[in-house]
Amino acid sequence: MTARRVRFILGIVLAVGFVGRIVAARLGPVLYPDAYFQSLEPAWTRVTGEGMKTWEWTDGLRSWVLPGYHGAWMALGRSLGLRGSTIGEMIRLSWGLLSMFMVWAAWRAGASCARQLRPRHPCCACGHLVFDQPAPMGFVGDAPPAGWQGGLVAAFLMATFPLLALYSVEPLTELPSMIVLIVAFALVAEQTELDPREGKGRAVIIGTLLSLAVCLRIVNGALVLLPAIWLAARHRWRDLAILAGTALVPVALFGIVDRLTWGHFFGSFLAFIKFNIIQGRAAEFGTEPATWYLAGIWARLPIGLAILVLPAICGLRATWPFVLSAAGLLGYISTQAHKEERFALLFWPFLLIAAGTVLGHWLFSRAPPSNGGAAPSRLRRWLTRAKQLVIVAGMLAVVVDGARHLRQFDFDISHARLDGQAWVARQKNATGLLLDWHFYTGATVWFGRDLPQVKYEPELLSNRLFSHVLAGKGSSVDSQARRAGFVPKFDRHAIVVLERSR
Amino acid sequence: MSVVGRVWARRRTVAFALAGVLVIAWSTGFFLFVRRQAVAVVAFPTLEAHPAGEHNLVAYRLGTTVRVSSFFRDPFSQHNPGYLVDGRTNPTLVEKWASDPGDRHPWVELLWSGKRQVRSVVIRHAGTVESADFTSQEYSLWCLQARPVPPPVVVTDNHAPVAVHALACSGARGVRVRFVPNRPGQIVRIFEIEVWGR
């Protein structure tokens, strides 16, 4: 395969992945009210003065870094005259775009791991196995990097796995943490291939990214151990020292932000640890059995899971950091009483990279020559073709199986609810909006107008301040509003917006 | 070489330029974000013109804008500033403006379009619906942008649940009420404010 063709296929994979994320951003459901009330609402409240304050923001349990990031785009969007819903949709789409870094990381990590799968022979002088040939890490002339096979398949799986596409547009803390962690793992994979005297700059980036991933999501702290072990196994002590030093930069940044916003260095970090770990109060939000994540993963991919797990384990020689990370994450979060699917989301990129590496290695491996070096026999060639067909079918099965089981989320909100809010915001005669279930909306951002948007109470129907009601079609709120003189004006996917008629 | 080819050849430059634009845009937004003061604004659309005679200048249908220093924004009981001008005669406990518990100097501004002559201000305090203890006792009222500038009306010991204050000014564009919480940490609760004039 020429470098040009590999680049072309990689470009197509990236394009397909991005289109999938656009579809997810626009048509997919909204997952988790937390994505809106923890990340966007505080920022929107600061920008406009309108919004709700959830208990985490009263108790100082969250860092202002992520709302600060979103708030900057919101303030800019508002000053350019953009509507709240437009800003919200752009933020979702921007996360989808940023998540494409994971596809790039899968390409690099898959190629790096696939290079570890190439043939080795015993080295008499040094006493261990060495590779037969050197493997170029980048494009050289018309030759693609060695291991491109694993890279392409890993990138394909990462780009097309439907669950990841759906989650990739949600402004949850899990998402940025996952993106930077996967990119860091890809860089570590390549780092281990370099001469120990090389890669100082890369080590700086790795340290910053790993630390950032943990600062964004403290629970991911345990996963930083794997890259450290990986580097230590290759005796890259200097890299480890650089990594430890640069890791302090994001930590200091988060600490200073906490000092400026909550009044104490690491105030939100300490409050989070106290609430979740010392007091164990996350369990107040529900507990699940230890096997809950396993059952959930199985339910998401009943056929495809075996297609991913088997090759990942077969290639353990190269994929062990990814397989161990996936298993370690699952094991750790299963010990926690409170469980949500988003906590286990990181399991999938690790597994997809590990499986893609080996599937790609198998897919593009040529039929071995016959004895004596002659061209492989026709039978061998056919067997190779059949093997390739089975692998491609398996890859497609993973994508189709994943798409067929995109239901029964912990919390999902029909996008029509957000569209309903945005529709009311566009009405010139709107003076106030009542929401049947205010946590299951796009928060105040999607309404985006300087008008009251409050939780529905039957008594409020007689308050003429409220010109519109958003409710589930056929719900008790819908019928109560109709009886009070409201008429439906917006009807989409079981969501109805009613307008006061008299 | 095609345009795509030329762009590809300079992909590093293009990537750095794009990243630079994004960083500048984000930094501008961040500057605006940090500078923002969390003042809540409710701006009603104009559904009716002001009548000719004396009337409540801040009825929401006249396109009133309400600005408040803060409001009680608990997800389960939001006391939106819009309730200040909803014209409800029998409001529920929810239908009031309440300040944030952390707001030590709560204030309200009621603004209208054009210059108007103000005669009086009616404030329906907490005592109209809930405990009289919550009725604000100390506050002051100003006309905004009036010429000549009239002195503020300073109230120091109010106990009336419905307080009527003479506030005469002409050419005003709004009214501002500054409250002093009855006790430190106590929130201010107001059900309705009417500004009468023409």
Side-chain angles (χ1 to χ4, degrees), chain A residues 45-53 69 71-73 75-76 428 430-431 438 450-452 459-460 462-466, chain B residues 25-26 29-30 32-34 36 39-45 47 60 71 73 75-76 78 80 82-83 86 88 92 95:
Chain A
T45 304
R46 172 147 187 99
V47 172
T48 65
E50 284 282 344
M52 273 189 260
K53 196 192 238 179
Y69 166 76
W73 293 122
L76 188 68
K428 286 184 178 163
T431 51
H438 63 317
D450 297 335
L451 290 171
E459 303 80 34
L460 294 178
S462 57
N463 189 331
R464 300 192 69 82
L465 194 70
F466 297 104
Chain B
W26 185 84
F30 189 68
L32 295 171
F33 176 72
V34 171
R36 294 273 172 174
V39 172
V41 180
V42 175
F44 291 104
L47 303 177
Y60 78 93
F71 70 98
R73 53 178 92 243
F76 297 100
Q78 277 205 61
N80 195 283
Y83 289 129
D86 62 357
R88 289 276 269 183
T92 61
E95 294 164 276

Short mmCIF file of all heavy atoms in Angstrom, two decimals, chain A residues 45-53 69 71-73 75-76 428 430-431 438 450-452 459-460 462-466, chain B residues 25-26 29-30 32-34 36 39-45 47 60 71 73 75-76 78 80 82-83 86 88 92 95:
data_model
loop_
_atom_site.label_atom_id
_atom_site.label_comp_id
_atom_site.label_asym_id
_atom_site.label_seq_id
_atom_site.Cartn_x
_atom_site.Cartn_y
_atom_site.Cartn_z
N THR A 45 -24.96 31.25 33.43
CA THR A 45 -25.44 32.10 34.53
C THR A 45 -24.51 33.28 34.72
O THR A 45 -24.94 34.41 34.95
CB THR A 45 -25.51 31.28 35.83
OG1 THR A 45 -26.35 30.15 35.58
CG2 THR A 45 -26.10 32.08 36.97
N ARG A 46 -23.22 33.03 34.59
CA ARG A 46 -22.27 34.13 34.75
C ARG A 46 -22.38 35.12 33.59
O ARG A 46 -22.29 36.33 33.78
CB ARG A 46 -20.84 33.57 34.84
CG ARG A 46 -19.81 34.66 34.81
CD ARG A 46 -18.58 34.42 35.60
NE ARG A 46 -17.78 35.64 35.58
CZ ARG A 46 -17.73 36.53 36.53
NH1 ARG A 46 -18.43 36.34 37.63
NH2 ARG A 46 -16.97 37.60 36.42
N VAL A 47 -22.60 34.59 32.40
CA VAL A 47 -22.65 35.45 31.22
C VAL A 47 -23.93 36.28 31.20
O VAL A 47 -23.91 37.47 30.86
CB VAL A 47 -22.53 34.60 29.93
CG1 VAL A 47 -22.78 35.44 28.69
CG2 VAL A 47 -21.15 33.96 29.85
N THR A 48 -25.06 35.67 31.56
CA THR A 48 -26.35 36.35 31.38
C THR A 48 -27.06 36.70 32.68
O THR A 48 -28.01 37.46 32.67
CB THR A 48 -27.32 35.45 30.58
OG1 THR A 48 -27.61 34.29 31.36
CG2 THR A 48 -26.72 35.03 29.25
N GLY A 49 -26.64 36.10 33.79
CA GLY A 49 -27.35 36.32 35.05
C GLY A 49 -28.54 35.40 35.21
O GLY A 49 -29.15 35.32 36.27
N GLU A 50 -28.92 34.68 34.15
CA GLU A 50 -30.06 33.76 34.19
C GLU A 50 -29.54 32.34 34.33
O GLU A 50 -28.54 31.99 33.72
CB GLU A 50 -30.86 33.86 32.88
CG GLU A 50 -31.71 35.09 32.77
CD GLU A 50 -32.99 34.99 33.59
OE1 GLU A 50 -33.36 33.89 34.00
OE2 GLU A 50 -33.61 36.04 33.82
N GLY A 51 -30.25 31.52 35.07
CA GLY A 51 -29.86 30.12 35.15
C GLY A 51 -30.12 29.53 36.50
O GLY A 51 -30.47 30.24 37.45
N MET A 52 -29.96 28.23 36.57
CA MET A 52 -30.20 27.51 37.82
C MET A 52 -28.88 27.18 38.49
O MET A 52 -27.87 27.01 37.82
CB MET A 52 -30.94 26.22 37.53
CG MET A 52 -32.43 26.38 37.49
SD MET A 52 -33.18 24.78 37.41
CE MET A 52 -33.54 24.67 35.69
N LYS A 53 -28.94 27.04 39.80
CA LYS A 53 -27.73 26.68 40.54
C LYS A 53 -27.98 25.34 41.21
O LYS A 53 -28.83 25.25 42.09
CB LYS A 53 -27.45 27.76 41.58
CG LYS A 53 -26.04 27.72 42.14
CD LYS A 53 -25.98 28.62 43.35
CE LYS A 53 -24.95 29.70 43.20
NZ LYS A 53 -24.91 30.59 44.36
N TYR A 69 -14.05 27.50 30.28
CA TYR A 69 -13.77 27.24 28.86
C TYR A 69 -15.04 27.49 28.03
O TYR A 69 -15.00 28.19 27.01
CB TYR A 69 -13.29 25.79 28.69
CG TYR A 69 -13.30 25.34 27.25
CD1 TYR A 69 -12.31 25.75 26.37
CD2 TYR A 69 -14.33 24.53 26.77
CE1 TYR A 69 -12.35 25.37 25.04
CE2 TYR A 69 -14.37 24.15 25.44
CZ TYR A 69 -13.38 24.56 24.58
OH TYR A 69 -13.42 24.19 23.26
N GLY A 71 -17.70 29.16 29.00
CA GLY A 71 -18.16 30.54 29.21
C GLY A 71 -17.52 31.51 28.23
O GLY A 71 -18.16 32.47 27.79
N ALA A 72 -16.25 31.27 27.90
CA ALA A 72 -15.57 32.16 26.96
C ALA A 72 -16.27 32.13 25.60
O ALA A 72 -16.52 33.17 24.99
CB ALA A 72 -14.10 31.74 26.81
N TRP A 73 -16.62 30.93 25.14
CA TRP A 73 -17.33 30.82 23.84
C TRP A 73 -18.72 31.43 23.94
O TRP A 73 -19.21 32.05 23.00
CB TRP A 73 -17.43 29.35 23.40
CG TRP A 73 -16.12 28.73 23.06
CD1 TRP A 73 -15.55 27.63 23.63
CD2 TRP A 73 -15.17 29.17 22.06
NE1 TRP A 73 -14.33 27.35 23.05
CE2 TRP A 73 -14.07 28.28 22.09
CE3 TRP A 73 -15.15 30.23 21.15
CZ2 TRP A 73 -12.97 28.42 21.25
CZ3 TRP A 73 -14.04 30.36 20.31
CH2 TRP A 73 -12.97 29.47 20.37
N ALA A 75 -19.70 33.91 25.97
CA ALA A 75 -19.60 35.37 26.02
C ALA A 75 -19.31 35.92 24.63
O ALA A 75 -19.89 36.93 24.21
CB ALA A 75 -18.50 35.78 27.00
N LEU A 76 -18.44 35.23 23.89
CA LEU A 76 -18.12 35.66 22.54
C LEU A 76 -19.35 35.53 21.64
O LEU A 76 -19.69 36.45 20.89
CB LEU A 76 -16.96 34.81 21.98
CG LEU A 76 -16.38 35.26 20.65
CD1 LEU A 76 -15.68 36.59 20.79
CD2 LEU A 76 -15.41 34.21 20.10
N LYS A 428 -41.79 36.12 18.99
CA LYS A 428 -41.70 37.52 19.42
C LYS A 428 -42.64 37.82 20.58
O LYS A 428 -42.40 38.72 21.37
CB LYS A 428 -42.02 38.43 18.24
CG LYS A 428 -40.86 38.49 17.26
CD LYS A 428 -41.12 39.44 16.14
CE LYS A 428 -39.90 39.46 15.23
NZ LYS A 428 -40.19 40.03 13.94
N ALA A 430 -43.39 35.78 23.02
CA ALA A 430 -43.11 34.96 24.20
C ALA A 430 -42.76 35.84 25.40
O ALA A 430 -41.99 36.81 25.26
CB ALA A 430 -41.96 34.00 23.91
N THR A 431 -43.36 35.52 26.55
CA THR A 431 -43.02 36.29 27.76
C THR A 431 -42.57 35.39 28.90
O THR A 431 -42.06 35.87 29.91
CB THR A 431 -44.23 37.12 28.23
OG1 THR A 431 -45.37 36.26 28.32
CG2 THR A 431 -44.53 38.26 27.28
N HIS A 438 -37.88 20.32 34.21
CA HIS A 438 -36.86 21.30 33.82
C HIS A 438 -35.46 20.74 33.78
O HIS A 438 -34.60 21.29 33.10
CB HIS A 438 -36.94 22.55 34.69
CG HIS A 438 -36.66 22.31 36.14
ND1 HIS A 438 -37.16 21.23 36.81
CD2 HIS A 438 -35.96 23.01 37.03
CE1 HIS A 438 -36.76 21.29 38.06
NE2 HIS A 438 -36.02 22.35 38.22
N ASP A 450 -33.84 36.53 27.70
CA ASP A 450 -33.96 37.13 29.03
C ASP A 450 -35.42 37.13 29.46
O ASP A 450 -36.03 38.18 29.65
CB ASP A 450 -33.40 38.56 29.01
CG ASP A 450 -31.93 38.58 28.67
OD1 ASP A 450 -31.26 37.58 28.93
OD2 ASP A 450 -31.45 39.60 28.15
N LEU A 451 -35.97 35.94 29.60
CA LEU A 451 -37.36 35.78 30.01
C LEU A 451 -37.43 34.65 31.02
O LEU A 451 -36.58 33.76 31.00
CB LEU A 451 -38.23 35.44 28.80
CG LEU A 451 -38.44 36.55 27.77
CD1 LEU A 451 -39.13 36.01 26.53
CD2 LEU A 451 -39.25 37.70 28.36
N PRO A 452 -38.48 34.64 31.87
CA PRO A 452 -38.55 33.56 32.86
C PRO A 452 -38.77 32.19 32.19
O PRO A 452 -39.61 32.06 31.31
CB PRO A 452 -39.77 33.94 33.71
CG PRO A 452 -40.01 35.38 33.45
CD PRO A 452 -39.54 35.63 32.06
N GLU A 459 -50.56 25.84 39.28
CA GLU A 459 -51.04 27.19 39.63
C GLU A 459 -50.47 28.25 38.69
O GLU A 459 -51.06 29.33 38.52
CB GLU A 459 -50.65 27.56 41.07
CG GLU A 459 -51.14 26.61 42.14
CD GLU A 459 -50.28 25.36 42.26
OE1 GLU A 459 -49.06 25.46 42.04
OE2 GLU A 459 -50.84 24.29 42.53
N LEU A 460 -49.31 27.97 38.12
CA LEU A 460 -48.66 28.98 37.28
C LEU A 460 -49.35 29.13 35.92
O LEU A 460 -49.10 30.10 35.20
CB LEU A 460 -47.18 28.64 37.08
CG LEU A 460 -46.32 28.70 38.34
CD1 LEU A 460 -44.88 28.30 38.03
CD2 LEU A 460 -46.34 30.09 38.95
N SER A 462 -52.28 29.97 35.41
CA SER A 462 -53.13 31.16 35.42
C SER A 462 -52.32 32.46 35.48
O SER A 462 -52.89 33.54 35.44
CB SER A 462 -54.11 31.09 36.60
OG SER A 462 -53.38 30.97 37.80
N ASN A 463 -51.01 32.34 35.61
CA ASN A 463 -50.16 33.54 35.58
C ASN A 463 -49.87 33.88 34.12
O ASN A 463 -49.20 33.13 33.41
CB ASN A 463 -48.85 33.27 36.33
CG ASN A 463 -48.03 34.54 36.51
OD1 ASN A 463 -48.10 35.47 35.71
ND2 ASN A 463 -47.27 34.59 37.59
N ARG A 464 -50.39 35.02 33.66
CA ARG A 464 -50.32 35.35 32.24
C ARG A 464 -48.89 35.70 31.78
O ARG A 464 -48.64 35.88 30.59
CB ARG A 464 -51.28 36.50 31.92
CG ARG A 464 -52.72 36.13 32.24
CD ARG A 464 -53.69 37.12 31.66
NE ARG A 464 -53.74 37.07 30.21
CZ ARG A 464 -54.44 36.17 29.51
NH1 ARG A 464 -55.16 35.26 30.12
NH2 ARG A 464 -54.43 36.21 28.20
N LEU A 465 -48.01 35.79 32.75
CA LEU A 465 -46.60 35.99 32.41
C LEU A 465 -46.09 34.84 31.54
O LEU A 465 -45.22 35.01 30.69
CB LEU A 465 -45.79 36.04 33.71
CG LEU A 465 -44.38 36.56 33.68
CD1 LEU A 465 -44.38 38.04 33.41
CD2 LEU A 465 -43.71 36.29 35.01
N PHE A 466 -46.65 33.65 31.77
CA PHE A 466 -46.17 32.47 31.05
C PHE A 466 -47.00 32.28 29.79
O PHE A 466 -48.17 31.91 29.86
CB PHE A 466 -46.19 31.25 31.96
CG PHE A 466 -45.26 31.41 33.12
CD1 PHE A 466 -45.74 31.71 34.38
CD2 PHE A 466 -43.89 31.34 32.93
CE1 PHE A 466 -44.88 31.92 35.43
CE2 PHE A 466 -43.02 31.55 33.98
CZ PHE A 466 -43.51 31.84 35.24
N ALA B 25 -9.70 34.06 19.48
CA ALA B 25 -11.16 34.15 19.67
C ALA B 25 -11.54 33.73 21.08
O ALA B 25 -12.32 34.41 21.77
CB ALA B 25 -11.87 33.27 18.64
N TRP B 26 -10.97 32.62 21.52
CA TRP B 26 -11.31 32.12 22.87
C TRP B 26 -10.84 33.11 23.94
O TRP B 26 -11.57 33.37 24.90
CB TRP B 26 -10.68 30.74 23.11
CG TRP B 26 -11.11 30.17 24.42
CD1 TRP B 26 -12.25 29.47 24.67
CD2 TRP B 26 -10.42 30.28 25.67
NE1 TRP B 26 -12.32 29.15 26.00
CE2 TRP B 26 -11.22 29.63 26.64
CE3 TRP B 26 -9.22 30.87 26.07
CZ2 TRP B 26 -10.84 29.55 27.98
CZ3 TRP B 26 -8.86 30.79 27.40
CH2 TRP B 26 -9.66 30.14 28.33
N GLY B 29 -13.20 35.91 24.18
CA GLY B 29 -14.40 35.46 24.90
C GLY B 29 -14.14 35.33 26.38
O GLY B 29 -14.97 35.72 27.21
N PHE B 30 -12.97 34.83 26.73
CA PHE B 30 -12.65 34.64 28.15
C PHE B 30 -12.55 35.99 28.86
O PHE B 30 -13.00 36.14 30.00
CB PHE B 30 -11.34 33.86 28.28
CG PHE B 30 -11.06 33.43 29.69
CD1 PHE B 30 -11.86 32.48 30.31
CD2 PHE B 30 -10.04 34.00 30.42
CE1 PHE B 30 -11.63 32.09 31.62
CE2 PHE B 30 -9.80 33.63 31.73
CZ PHE B 30 -10.59 32.67 32.32
N LEU B 32 -14.20 38.67 28.04
CA LEU B 32 -15.59 39.12 28.21
C LEU B 32 -16.26 38.36 29.35
O LEU B 32 -16.99 38.92 30.15
CB LEU B 32 -16.38 38.90 26.92
CG LEU B 32 -15.94 39.71 25.70
CD1 LEU B 32 -16.68 39.23 24.46
CD2 LEU B 32 -16.23 41.19 25.93
N PHE B 33 -15.97 37.05 29.42
CA PHE B 33 -16.59 36.18 30.44
C PHE B 33 -16.18 36.63 31.84
O PHE B 33 -17.01 36.74 32.74
CB PHE B 33 -16.14 34.74 30.17
CG PHE B 33 -16.62 33.75 31.20
CD1 PHE B 33 -17.96 33.39 31.26
CD2 PHE B 33 -15.72 33.17 32.09
CE1 PHE B 33 -18.40 32.48 32.20
CE2 PHE B 33 -16.16 32.26 33.03
CZ PHE B 33 -17.50 31.91 33.09
N VAL B 34 -14.90 36.89 32.00
CA VAL B 34 -14.40 37.27 33.33
C VAL B 34 -14.93 38.64 33.73
O VAL B 34 -15.24 38.89 34.90
CB VAL B 34 -12.85 37.24 33.32
CG1 VAL B 34 -12.29 37.83 34.60
CG2 VAL B 34 -12.36 35.81 33.16
N ARG B 36 -17.77 39.95 33.00
CA ARG B 36 -19.22 40.00 33.21
C ARG B 36 -19.56 40.14 34.68
O ARG B 36 -18.90 39.56 35.54
CB ARG B 36 -19.88 38.70 32.71
CG ARG B 36 -19.80 38.51 31.25
CD ARG B 36 -20.94 39.18 30.53
NE ARG B 36 -20.67 39.10 29.10
CZ ARG B 36 -21.51 39.48 28.17
NH1 ARG B 36 -22.67 39.98 28.51
NH2 ARG B 36 -21.19 39.38 26.91
N VAL B 39 -25.52 40.04 36.68
CA VAL B 39 -26.76 40.78 36.93
C VAL B 39 -27.85 40.11 36.09
O VAL B 39 -27.69 39.93 34.89
CB VAL B 39 -26.61 42.25 36.50
CG1 VAL B 39 -27.94 42.98 36.58
CG2 VAL B 39 -25.58 42.94 37.38
N ALA B 40 -28.93 39.71 36.74
CA ALA B 40 -29.99 39.03 36.00
C ALA B 40 -30.90 40.06 35.36
O ALA B 40 -31.28 41.06 35.99
CB ALA B 40 -30.78 38.14 36.94
N VAL B 41 -31.23 39.81 34.10
CA VAL B 41 -32.07 40.74 33.36
C VAL B 41 -33.26 39.97 32.78
O VAL B 41 -33.08 38.89 32.22
CB VAL B 41 -31.29 41.39 32.19
CG1 VAL B 41 -32.18 42.35 31.42
CG2 VAL B 41 -30.05 42.10 32.71
N VAL B 42 -34.45 40.51 32.96
CA VAL B 42 -35.62 39.97 32.27
C VAL B 42 -36.16 41.10 31.41
O VAL B 42 -36.54 42.15 31.93
CB VAL B 42 -36.69 39.48 33.28
CG1 VAL B 42 -37.94 39.04 32.55
CG2 VAL B 42 -36.15 38.35 34.12
N ALA B 43 -36.17 40.88 30.11
CA ALA B 43 -36.60 41.94 29.18
C ALA B 43 -37.83 41.44 28.43
O ALA B 43 -37.71 40.60 27.53
CB ALA B 43 -35.46 42.27 28.22
N PHE B 44 -38.98 41.95 28.80
CA PHE B 44 -40.22 41.51 28.16
C PHE B 44 -40.41 42.22 26.83
O PHE B 44 -40.07 43.41 26.69
CB PHE B 44 -41.43 41.79 29.07
CG PHE B 44 -41.43 40.94 30.29
CD1 PHE B 44 -41.06 41.45 31.52
CD2 PHE B 44 -41.79 39.60 30.21
CE1 PHE B 44 -41.05 40.66 32.66
CE2 PHE B 44 -41.79 38.80 31.34
CZ PHE B 44 -41.41 39.33 32.56
N PRO B 45 -40.99 41.53 25.84
CA PRO B 45 -41.29 42.21 24.58
C PRO B 45 -42.48 43.15 24.77
O PRO B 45 -43.29 42.94 25.67
CB PRO B 45 -41.66 41.05 23.64
CG PRO B 45 -42.17 39.98 24.54
CD PRO B 45 -41.42 40.11 25.84
N LEU B 47 -45.90 44.19 24.16
CA LEU B 47 -47.13 43.63 23.61
C LEU B 47 -48.23 44.68 23.53
O LEU B 47 -49.20 44.50 22.79
CB LEU B 47 -47.59 42.45 24.49
CG LEU B 47 -46.58 41.31 24.67
CD1 LEU B 47 -47.14 40.25 25.61
CD2 LEU B 47 -46.23 40.67 23.34
N TYR B 60 -45.78 44.07 32.77
CA TYR B 60 -44.86 43.36 31.87
C TYR B 60 -45.25 43.50 30.40
O TYR B 60 -44.42 43.50 29.51
CB TYR B 60 -44.75 41.88 32.28
CG TYR B 60 -45.91 41.01 31.85
CD1 TYR B 60 -45.87 40.31 30.66
CD2 TYR B 60 -47.06 40.89 32.64
CE1 TYR B 60 -46.94 39.52 30.26
CE2 TYR B 60 -48.11 40.10 32.25
CZ TYR B 60 -48.05 39.42 31.06
OH TYR B 60 -49.10 38.65 30.66
N PHE B 71 -30.93 36.56 42.07
CA PHE B 71 -32.20 35.97 42.46
C PHE B 71 -32.00 34.57 42.98
O PHE B 71 -31.00 33.92 42.70
CB PHE B 71 -33.26 36.04 41.36
CG PHE B 71 -33.05 35.16 40.16
CD1 PHE B 71 -33.69 33.94 40.06
CD2 PHE B 71 -32.25 35.57 39.11
CE1 PHE B 71 -33.53 33.14 38.94
CE2 PHE B 71 -32.08 34.77 37.99
CZ PHE B 71 -32.72 33.56 37.90
N ARG B 73 -32.12 31.00 42.96
CA ARG B 73 -32.20 30.15 41.77
C ARG B 73 -32.07 28.68 42.11
O ARG B 73 -31.45 27.92 41.37
CB ARG B 73 -31.17 30.58 40.74
CG ARG B 73 -29.78 30.66 41.28
CD ARG B 73 -28.78 31.03 40.21
NE ARG B 73 -28.53 32.45 40.10
CZ ARG B 73 -28.81 33.16 39.01
NH1 ARG B 73 -29.34 32.62 37.96
NH2 ARG B 73 -28.53 34.44 38.98
N PRO B 75 -33.05 25.02 41.93
CA PRO B 75 -33.79 24.42 40.81
C PRO B 75 -35.25 24.13 41.13
O PRO B 75 -36.09 24.10 40.24
CB PRO B 75 -33.04 23.11 40.57
CG PRO B 75 -31.69 23.31 41.14
CD PRO B 75 -31.85 24.26 42.28
N PHE B 76 -35.55 23.90 42.40
CA PHE B 76 -36.92 23.49 42.74
C PHE B 76 -37.80 24.67 43.15
O PHE B 76 -39.00 24.50 43.29
CB PHE B 76 -36.89 22.42 43.82
CG PHE B 76 -36.20 21.18 43.33
CD1 PHE B 76 -34.88 20.92 43.67
CD2 PHE B 76 -36.85 20.31 42.48
CE1 PHE B 76 -34.23 19.81 43.19
CE2 PHE B 76 -36.20 19.18 41.99
CZ PHE B 76 -34.88 18.93 42.34
N GLN B 78 -37.56 28.51 41.94
CA GLN B 78 -36.91 29.68 41.36
C GLN B 78 -37.81 30.90 41.51
O GLN B 78 -38.95 30.88 41.05
CB GLN B 78 -36.67 29.44 39.88
CG GLN B 78 -35.43 28.66 39.62
CD GLN B 78 -34.92 28.96 38.23
OE1 GLN B 78 -34.59 30.08 37.89
NE2 GLN B 78 -34.87 27.94 37.42
N ASN B 80 -38.07 34.01 40.14
CA ASN B 80 -37.59 34.80 39.01
C ASN B 80 -37.97 36.28 39.15
O ASN B 80 -39.08 36.58 39.60
CB ASN B 80 -38.20 34.22 37.74
CG ASN B 80 -37.52 34.70 36.50
OD1 ASN B 80 -37.75 35.82 36.07
ND2 ASN B 80 -36.65 33.88 35.94
N GLY B 82 -38.99 38.19 37.02
CA GLY B 82 -40.16 38.51 36.20
C GLY B 82 -41.44 38.57 37.02
O GLY B 82 -42.39 39.29 36.66
N TYR B 83 -41.48 37.84 38.14
CA TYR B 83 -42.68 37.83 38.99
C TYR B 83 -42.97 39.22 39.58
O TYR B 83 -44.08 39.49 40.00
CB TYR B 83 -42.51 36.84 40.13
CG TYR B 83 -42.55 35.39 39.72
CD1 TYR B 83 -41.55 34.51 40.12
CD2 TYR B 83 -43.60 34.90 38.95
CE1 TYR B 83 -41.59 33.17 39.77
CE2 TYR B 83 -43.63 33.56 38.58
CZ TYR B 83 -42.63 32.70 38.99
OH TYR B 83 -42.68 31.39 38.64
N ASP B 86 -45.65 40.75 37.20
CA ASP B 86 -46.62 39.89 36.52
C ASP B 86 -48.07 40.31 36.77
O ASP B 86 -48.99 39.77 36.16
CB ASP B 86 -46.41 38.42 36.91
CG ASP B 86 -46.61 38.16 38.39
OD1 ASP B 86 -46.85 39.13 39.13
OD2 ASP B 86 -46.49 37.00 38.82
N ARG B 88 -50.01 39.77 39.29
CA ARG B 88 -50.84 38.77 39.98
C ARG B 88 -51.40 39.36 41.27
O ARG B 88 -50.65 39.91 42.09
CB ARG B 88 -50.02 37.54 40.32
CG ARG B 88 -49.66 36.73 39.12
CD ARG B 88 -50.75 35.79 38.76
NE ARG B 88 -50.55 34.51 39.43
CZ ARG B 88 -51.34 33.47 39.23
NH1 ARG B 88 -52.39 33.56 38.45
NH2 ARG B 88 -51.09 32.32 39.84
N THR B 92 -48.93 32.69 44.36
CA THR B 92 -48.52 31.59 45.22
C THR B 92 -47.18 31.98 45.86
O THR B 92 -46.58 33.01 45.50
CB THR B 92 -48.32 30.31 44.41
OG1 THR B 92 -47.29 30.55 43.44
CG2 THR B 92 -49.60 29.90 43.70
N GLU B 95 -44.37 32.71 43.37
CA GLU B 95 -44.43 33.85 42.44
C GLU B 95 -43.96 35.16 43.08
O GLU B 95 -44.73 36.11 43.21
CB GLU B 95 -45.86 33.98 41.90
CG GLU B 95 -46.25 32.80 41.03
CD GLU B 95 -47.74 32.73 40.80
OE1 GLU B 95 -48.45 32.18 41.67
OE2 GLU B 95 -48.20 33.23 39.78
#
